[in-house]
Amino acid sequence: MKRKLISAIGIAGMVVSIAACGGEGGGGSDKGADAKELTVWLTVDAQNNWPELVKAADAAVQKKHPGLKINHEYYGWPDKNAKLDAVLATDKVPDVVEMGNTEMLGYMVKGAFAPLDPADFDSSDAWLDGLKASVTYEGKTYGVPYYAGGRVANWRKDVAASVGVKTPPKTYKELTAALDKIQKKQGDKFSAWYQPTRDWYAAMSFVYDAGGAIATESGGQWKASLSSPESLKGLKEFKNVVDRYMHGDKTKDESDRYIVYGQGKSAMIFAAAWEGATAEDPKNDKSGKLKGNLENFVMPGPSGKNMPVFLGGSDLAVPVKSDAPALAAEWINAFAGSSGQKGLMAKGNLPNNKTDLATLKNDPKTAVPATAAESNWFVPMAPGWGQVEKAQILQTMLQSIGTGKKSVEAAAKEADAAIDKVINTK
């Protein structure tokens, strides 16, 4: 599930108020341990899909703190941050807030959240690397991973079988050999692999698979590295995929990929794990051929290893002005700790830690997303990353590459220069 990183501008209005508040708060503090009320903000995902887990967390904390009143408010993703920004500028803030993991950085940079002690939370020593990165800034932890969502390859079994391929590929060489056969059989109006050019999540997986990175940090300073030899190798392979297999509009992003896939003019996507199932929903399956005919598999990388994937998901944080940070930390652990993770996995989510993730690999229903999530990457945790996303620097670079407007080298060099202008700016 993709969360758009908020811009620094979006929370500028609350900075003065937060800075004036001061204080550390968080799980390492007893502040508010005797509070009589706790306010928890979650998204409608929890309200609609696992309300019993919320109730269980409430009951566990209230058993330890008799008489505690726990208030819940639920928000949709589109309007959540605007409401949060407004309330953070006041003295009446929620004690726990759910954040998309790519939304965390802008708030951490501005000092909106209290630092937490990882030792207060179950399995913190085994948090998935990408999720751990999303709650960490300048060596401190400002949130707790809640659940994860990964990316997998998904293809049509009937189209693969039409060229003699009966099982999912295990290597990148097997994958491209199958796609070459499919492309030849179906012709140039069909996309053997529908890969939107502006999909930077997929493109950067190629970069990280090749040993490259969007940016690297040294001595507290970040520097763009898309024009490094390793990153260029990944970008060139991404362009190769787009040139050979993507015969759709090469100026598009991934927002409607599942809809395009449902039109029946492509054989494969590399996407969020839910997209295949959504494409085969009768309201999206315009071809009438997808239901029961799609198959997820772990995306193999050109390196010979599984392709590293971007981990989406949610985190839980404690606003720095909370009156009950100690209780907030207790509630978070009751909700997203060992017991909560089992409940979340039962609902089809990936857990926040490697130990629980390993158990999902033994179940055929969850083995593919669980295995894919083991190799993952996350955005640079640099103070100016929000400005990089807001300016759509990566998308612009990829469109230039995919459409042939610029060479890979020229587009990467231009992107590096644009990133370097803002990536270290708070």
Side-chain angles (χ1 to χ4, degrees):
M1 194 179 299
K2 184 177 68 176
R3 318 292 192 217
K4 293 292 186 183
L5 188 66
I6 63 162
S7 70
I9 295 173
I11 56 176
M14 72 185 185
V15 175
V16 174
S17 177
I18 291 171
C21 172
E24 289 292 295
S29 167
D30 290 330
K31 179 187 174 186
D34 57 352
K36 302 302 181 185
E37 196 167 333
L38 194 70
T39 299
V40 177
W41 281 18
L42 299 172
T43 68
V44 292
D45 297 338
Q47 183 181 33
N48 296 335
N49 301 319
W50 44 87
E52 69 276 17
L53 301 184
V54 177
K55 291 180 180 178
D58 289 353
V61 175
Q62 288 170 328
K63 182 177 181 180
K64 187 176 178 182
H65 303 275
L68 175 67
K69 181 182 179 182
I70 302 179
N71 306 306
H72 291 282
E73 295 187 31
Y74 296 93
Y75 295 92
W77 287 104
D79 58 356
K80 175 181 66 69
N81 287 348
K83 293 179 179 179
L84 179 59
D85 294 348
V87 78
L88 288 179
T90 73
D91 292 324
K92 185 62 176 176
V93 302
D95 302 294
V96 177
V97 294
E98 176 183 350
M99 305 294 297
N101 62 352
T102 61
E103 296 172 341
M104 284 289 294
L105 181 56
Y107 288 87
M108 294 190 294
V109 169
K110 297 299 181 182
F113 297 144
L116 303 173
D117 184 352
D120 289 341
F121 303 97
D122 296 346
S123 305
S124 59
D125 58 343
W127 284 342
L128 297 178
D129 295 339
L131 297 186
K132 182 178 179 180
S134 76
V135 298
T136 306
Y137 182 66
E138 294 186 341
K140 291 185 178 182
T141 300
Y142 291 92
V144 174
Y146 171 12
Y147 67 89
R151 281 166 168 72
V152 298
N154 180 286
W155 75 359
R156 287 178 54 176
K157 293 185 288 185
D158 61 334
V159 176
S162 73
V163 295
V165 179
K166 303 295 180 64
T167 58
K170 300 295 185 183
T171 68
Y172 193 71
K173 184 176 181 180
E174 290 177 358
L175 173 64
T176 55
L179 292 175
D180 285 342
K181 292 177 182 177
I182 290 170
Q183 193 63 67
K184 183 177 180 180
K185 180 179 176 65
Q186 297 291 336
D188 60 11
K189 292 185 179 180
F190 186 90
S191 294
W193 175 349
Y194 180 74
Q195 179 50 64
T197 307
R198 291 172 65 87
D199 176 12
W200 64 275
Y201 296 100
M204 294 305 106
S205 286
F206 280 88
V207 167
Y208 282 93
D209 179 72
I214 299 170
T216 58
E217 186 266 341
S218 179
Q221 289 291 300
W222 288 84
K223 185 170 179 57
S225 56
L226 291 167
S227 54
S228 72
E230 296 82 4
S231 294
L232 287 175
K233 181 179 179 181
L235 288 172
K236 287 178 179 178
E237 184 54 33
F238 180 75
K239 176 175 171 53
N240 182 45
V241 166
V242 172
D243 286 349
R244 289 168 67 180
Y245 308 124
M246 167 61 176
H247 296 284
D249 182 350
K250 294 185 179 180
T251 66
K252 287 179 67 66
D253 65 16
E254 72 282 7
S255 60
D256 66 346
R257 172 170 43 210
Y258 67 92
I259 294 175
V260 176
Y261 196 31
Q263 293 170 353
K265 296 181 180 179
S266 50
M268 174 187 145
I269 56 174
F270 173 39
W274 56 266
E275 291 188 52
T278 305
E280 72 175 21
D281 185 294
K283 67 176 178 287
N284 295 319
D285 181 9
K286 303 305 181 183
S287 70
K289 299 178 180 179
L290 302 187
K291 187 66 176 177
N293 200 25
L294 297 183
E295 184 173 28
N296 281 337
F297 58 94
V298 178
M299 180 68 188
S303 69
K305 301 178 181 178
N306 291 341
M307 184 79 88
V309 298
F310 174 82
L311 280 185
S314 282
D315 299 323
L316 299 166
V318 180
V320 73
K321 292 197 290 185
S322 165
D323 291 328
L327 279 180
E330 282 189 45
W331 191 91
I332 289 173
N333 197 46
F335 184 56
S338 298
S339 177
Q341 290 301 312
K342 289 180 173 58
L344 288 165
M345 288 189 293
K347 295 292 184 177
N349 299 292
L350 292 178
N352 66 5
N353 67 89
K354 299 172 185 176
T355 305
D356 285 329
L357 188 70
T359 67
L360 296 182
K361 292 175 63 179
N362 299 322
D363 185 342
K365 295 179 181 178
T366 55
V368 168
T371 300
E374 287 185 311
S375 178
N376 54 78
W377 62 272
F378 199 65
V379 299
M381 296 302 284
W385 178 252
Q387 297 181 60
V388 175
E389 279 214 40
K390 183 184 178 186
Q392 299 194 356
I393 295 170
L394 296 179
Q395 292 95 321
T396 299
M397 172 190 73
L398 293 171
Q399 184 170 323
S400 293
I401 290 172
T403 59
K405 181 179 179 181
K406 293 186 174 116
S407 69
V408 173
E409 291 84 357
K413 184 177 180 181
E414 185 177 278
D416 276 351
I419 291 172
D420 283 339
K421 288 181 180 178
V422 298
I423 196 168
N424 292 295
T425 304
K426 290 189 177 182

